[in-house]
Amino acid sequence: MLFKWRASKNAAPSKTRGEQAEDRALHYLQQRGLNLLERNYRVAAGPHARAGEVDLIMRDSDGTTVFVEVRARADASHGGAAASVSATKQRRLVYAARHYLLRLATPPPCRFDVVAIEGEAIEWLQAAFDAP
């Protein structure tokens, strides 16, 4: 008998899981007073590559523009969600953020936050890293 593997109804492709994590992070941050400016801001490096992407660009109540990286993991094994924001990923975020800021006449104060989702837990790391 031939068996055909079929994903369960609860299994979601990684893009969908990423979108769900971003939805959760957005809702979490909005409940804490941040307002969405832009979602999935991408800067292309070439016809088939991305130089950088920011998951969420938010404005804090004090006027600070917040560039948010959302990371989700099923659990904290292998260092967890926050630890997965590598130096390379940070450089790409900074690159995209600088590109975004070039559109503005007067750049506002900014920071880079990480929202780490592990299972059902959400951790908001404000000013998680600095731009070099």
Side-chain angles (χ1 to χ4, degrees):
M1 177 181 265
L2 180 65
F3 291 95
K4 185 175 180 183
W5 183 83
R6 195 173 79 188
S8 73
K9 292 179 183 177
N10 295 331
S14 61
K15 182 166 176 59
T16 302
R17 282 193 304 266
E19 289 171 354
Q20 291 170 346
E22 287 175 14
D23 288 344
R24 284 186 63 197
L26 176 59
H27 180 72
Y28 181 88
L29 295 172
Q30 286 175 325
Q31 285 184 321
R32 282 146 186 84
L34 278 73
N35 294 308
L36 180 66
L37 298 175
E38 197 143 347
R39 186 169 178 168
N40 299 119
Y41 181 80
R42 293 179 176 94
V43 179
H48 303 290
R50 288 182 302 200
E53 177 183 354
V54 181
D55 295 327
L56 303 170
I57 301 175
M58 313 280 295
R59 178 166 293 125
D60 207 341
S61 57
D62 66 359
T64 300
T65 297
V66 183
F67 298 96
V68 182
E69 174 66 8
V70 178
R71 288 296 177 131
R73 298 291 182 266
D75 55 49
S77 65
H78 305 296
S84 72
V85 183
S86 67
T88 299
K89 182 61 178 176
Q90 290 177 25
R91 281 192 300 274
R92 289 180 177 163
L93 287 164
V94 169
Y95 180 83
R98 286 184 173 143
H99 187 273
Y100 176 84
L101 292 170
L102 287 173
R103 305 178 334 171
L104 307 177
T106 305
C110 312
R111 72 172 191 256
F112 294 90
D113 291 3
V114 172
V115 174
I117 301 172
E118 293 173 0
E120 295 301 312
I122 296 180
E123 183 179 12
W124 178 20
L125 305 167
Q126 296 181 39
F129 61 91
D130 294 318

